[in-house]
Amino acid sequence: LRIPQQTVFLDKTCIHQVDQDLQQKGIRKLGAFLCHSDQMIVLYTDVYLLKLWTVYEVASFLALHPAERMRVVPTFQSLVFCSLLGFGQAFLYLTLVASMLTASSTLVHLVLGSICGCGYILVARSWSRERALLRPRLSTFSVDNCICAREEDRPVVCRNIAGLMRATQKVPNTASDAEALDAFDELIRSTLPAVFTSGL
């Protein structure tokens, strides 16, 4: 059928979580995976930009590709989608029951419409608050403040970040790791607010 094959790199499953040797090899090649990726989908939660690994991946992708190739998807969208499906199904059943009882389906429409409307308003309000917090959080971003599940990974990630900044000519090849990390902080502060607030 000549259907184009889609290959997906999912960091959590494609980098070994147990074998230390395989894990280090995967970490060292993370830049190559990102370089050969056409698009990146960020499954966003409120801790996403606080974690060293996820910030590194996002900034690495943006250093190698235009921002238009990144899509930010809040994880609660799946809950909203399933809720809407449930409301739609309930709407059909209640309309059917109302018509069988010769009652007016207008009341059913009004009740379900109100529930859906209130749910949407609550989600939109929560999301607006999260977006409002993003800009100040990112404007003071520092890689030193990111959390890392395993502190022994921090030097490895920081070396990778510094190497990437030099490889992509964001800093001169002679720049120290500290200078490269400072440039990385600036890249995050200048690039991510627009990408995340427009994509969310």
Side-chain angles (χ1 to χ4, degrees):
L1 296 175
R2 298 188 182 278
I3 298 173
Q5 184 180 0
Q6 297 293 323
T7 304
V8 177
F9 169 75
L10 183 60
D11 59 357
K12 185 79 172 178
T13 58
C14 292
I15 293 182
H16 211 287
Q17 301 295 305
V18 179
D19 188 309
Q20 294 293 312
D21 186 48
L22 288 175
Q23 185 183 62
Q24 291 304 312
K25 287 178 181 176
I27 290 169
R28 284 196 297 270
K29 300 298 181 187
L30 187 57
F33 285 117
L34 293 168
C35 183
H36 291 284
S37 296
D38 293 325
Q39 294 184 337
M40 182 173 184
I41 298 175
V42 173
L43 300 178
Y44 181 83
T45 65
D46 57 353
V47 297
Y48 190 89
L49 295 173
L50 301 176
K51 293 183 175 181
L52 183 60
W53 275 111
T54 49
V55 167
Y56 166 53
E57 288 178 349
V58 166
S60 300
F61 186 84
L62 291 175
L64 298 164
H65 300 287
E68 297 79 40
R69 293 192 185 176
M70 178 179 288
R71 183 164 176 226
V72 180
V73 180
T75 54
F76 68 77
Q77 272 190 3
S78 59
L79 178 61
V80 172
F81 177 73
C82 292
S83 299
L84 288 174
L85 283 179
F87 280 126
Q89 201 68 21
F91 176 80
L92 290 174
Y93 287 137
L94 289 174
T95 303
L96 180 62
V97 169
S99 65
M100 289 172 62
L101 298 174
T102 66
S104 171
S105 61
T106 305
L107 181 62
V108 174
H109 294 170
L110 184 61
V111 170
L112 284 175
S114 299
I115 292 172
C116 288
C118 289
Y120 176 78
I121 289 169
L122 288 173
V123 168
R125 187 167 179 255
S126 172
W127 195 231
S128 294
R129 278 200 306 263
E130 181 61 33
R131 288 176 65 176
L133 292 172
L134 267 176
R135 284 193 183 275
R137 187 187 304 163
L138 288 172
S139 67
T140 58
F141 174 84
S142 172
V143 72
D144 294 333
N145 296 333
C146 286
I147 57 175
C148 196
R150 295 176 35 174
E151 275 303 313
E152 57 266 29
D153 289 344
R154 188 179 293 275
V156 177
V157 178
C158 288
R159 276 196 304 273
N160 279 8
I161 291 172
L164 177 75
M165 297 302 287
R166 286 189 283 265
T168 56
Q169 300 298 302
K170 302 288 190 234
V171 293
N173 287 333
T174 56
S176 66
D177 282 1
E179 291 169 330
L181 291 175
D182 287 341
F184 176 76
D185 289 346
E186 281 304 317
L187 178 69
I188 295 285
R189 293 170 192 159
S190 62
T191 308
L192 287 194
V195 172
F196 272 71
T197 54
S198 64
L200 297 178

